[in-house]
Amino acid sequence: MSRKIPAPSSCLPPLKRLSGFDAAQVTTFLGHLRQIYQPEVRGVRAKAAHDSGYASEASDDDCSKSTSSTTSSIDSLRTDRFERSVAMKWLTGFITRGEEWIEEGTTGEEQTERIRVAEDAASLLAVCSGTSSNFDGALSSSTHEPPTVLPLDWRHMHCIASSSAMPTAKPEHPFDMPFDIIIGADIIYEPEHAVWIKSSVELLLKRDAQSFFYLIMPMRPTHEVETASVRETFPLAADVRKQHHAASGEQGAMKRIAIVDVSEIDRVVGTGRVDEVRYLLYRIGWV
């Protein structure tokens, strides 16, 4: 039976109080989220974060403190979409404030530790973004198989999607079944790539309101055209909804892939390229 622990919504501290937490305290919060969203698999244990050596004052928001009314089993929390969205929003906000929080460290050692914590948070956000109920079930299963890595040609998918000669053409296995979540990191290097990726997402993303394509792009001064190509290729969800509303009462409008929201994430000191000031994280889905 899965043991009970506090839900993210009941124990994560408000980010406006972030400056009052040191590296050790934030590590505690991240460790709590990791228990939920990155469970041990086949006896492989995640490397524990080393003690920063700094004493931490007890916090009313400490995830180790709980009451029966705020706890749930790890399995139920892992499949709770609301709690996962709370965790992802908190992690995104923490990463956005990361550079300022790092600079607030009172010693060089503390700042170094805070850099490690910020990197850990970015890694955990990627894990949470890729977590779905199906994936969680696979992780929890004793018969879990290692993940398979296969090549995916965006241009080939675009050709399948836009082929008028073969209107019934479908991607080959395992890309013949839709995915709950698709993640793309720094994959647009030419303006036409956005078009190829949009076609691919339309083929591969499950057509429901809970499935999303997460696209993260560095904002480089030498890639302004490529960055603009995303906004030119993917419509905004608000605009699509207006079109749907205008079409109501007639034949209705078919769902379209659109940008649901965009977040700006500052580059953490000591990571990434020096010409990457910040990153854009697009959440794209069917509208």
Side-chain angles (χ1 to χ4, degrees):
M1 182 177 179
S2 178
R3 66 188 181 89
K4 291 187 175 183
I5 63 174
S9 60
S10 69
C11 74
L12 291 175
L15 288 170
K16 63 183 179 181
R17 292 170 50 192
L18 181 60
S19 60
F21 293 95
D22 61 20
Q25 289 173 302
V26 177
T27 295
T28 299
F29 298 127
L30 297 183
H32 180 76
L33 294 179
R34 202 171 286 282
Q35 285 185 75
I36 302 171
Y37 301 110
Q38 195 175 30
E40 296 174 17
V41 179
R42 286 188 169 182
V44 178
R45 187 181 300 273
K47 184 178 180 181
H50 63 280
D51 188 351
S52 66
Y54 289 90
S56 304
E57 295 182 0
S59 167
D60 292 337
D61 295 303
D62 194 329
C63 289
S64 64
K65 296 182 178 181
S66 63
T67 63
S68 58
S69 63
T70 61
T71 60
S72 301
S73 72
I74 292 178
D75 288 343
S76 64
L77 288 175
R78 193 175 300 137
T79 56
D80 190 312
R81 291 185 179 276
F82 169 74
E83 292 297 339
R84 186 165 73 242
S85 68
V86 169
M88 290 177 63
K89 184 176 180 179
W90 190 88
L91 287 168
T92 301
F94 171 72
I95 293 169
T96 300
R97 297 166 174 81
E99 189 163 357
E100 180 181 351
W101 178 69
I102 290 169
E103 292 176 350
E104 290 173 348
T106 55
T107 67
E109 184 180 356
E110 169 68 10
Q111 289 187 347
T112 298
E113 187 68 11
R114 290 188 179 202
I115 290 174
R116 182 199 59 76
V117 173
E119 292 174 347
D120 189 34
S123 171
L124 187 54
L125 177 60
V127 171
C128 291
S129 298
T131 301
S132 68
S133 57
N134 291 336
F135 184 65
D136 293 328
L139 284 176
S140 302
S141 172
S142 59
T143 59
H144 170 67
E145 295 295 330
T148 301
V149 179
L150 297 172
L152 176 60
D153 188 333
W154 301 106
R155 185 172 184 275
H156 176 65
M157 290 291 172
H158 172 68
C159 290
I160 292 177
S162 58
S163 175
S164 58
M166 297 184 295
T168 60
K170 293 183 178 180
E172 298 179 356
H173 183 76
F175 302 113
D176 55 340
M177 298 294 291
F179 293 85
D180 297 310
I181 291 177
I182 301 174
I183 300 175
D186 197 10
I187 54 176
I188 297 179
Y189 290 90
E190 299 292 343
E192 61 267 25
H193 291 174
V195 177
W196 298 352
I197 290 168
K198 180 173 182 286
S199 296
S200 301
V201 172
E202 289 172 338
L203 278 177
L204 300 175
L205 188 66
K206 185 180 292 184
R207 290 176 178 258
D208 61 33
Q210 289 78 43
S211 299
F212 296 103
F213 168 47
Y214 293 91
L215 173 65
I216 187 165
M217 295 180 63
M219 297 176 67
R220 301 189 186 109
T222 55
H223 286 66
E224 293 180 355
V225 174
E226 289 75 9
T227 302
S229 69
V230 175
R231 290 294 188 98
E232 294 170 357
T233 303
F234 291 88
L236 296 176
D239 294 337
V240 173
R241 292 191 181 101
K242 288 179 182 178
Q243 294 173 7
H244 288 347
H245 181 72
S248 62
E250 301 175 6
Q251 295 182 350
M254 293 182 63
K255 285 190 173 183
R256 295 173 59 193
I257 282 290
I259 298 171
V260 178
D261 53 51
V262 186
S263 303
E264 285 195 17
I265 303 174
D266 290 335
R267 180 175 68 86
V268 176
V269 175
T271 64
R273 292 171 33 161
V274 294
D275 62 340
E276 297 173 358
V277 178
R278 59 177 56 89
Y279 303 87
L280 290 174
L281 176 61
Y282 295 91
R283 186 162 63 102
I284 297 171
W286 291 102
V287 178

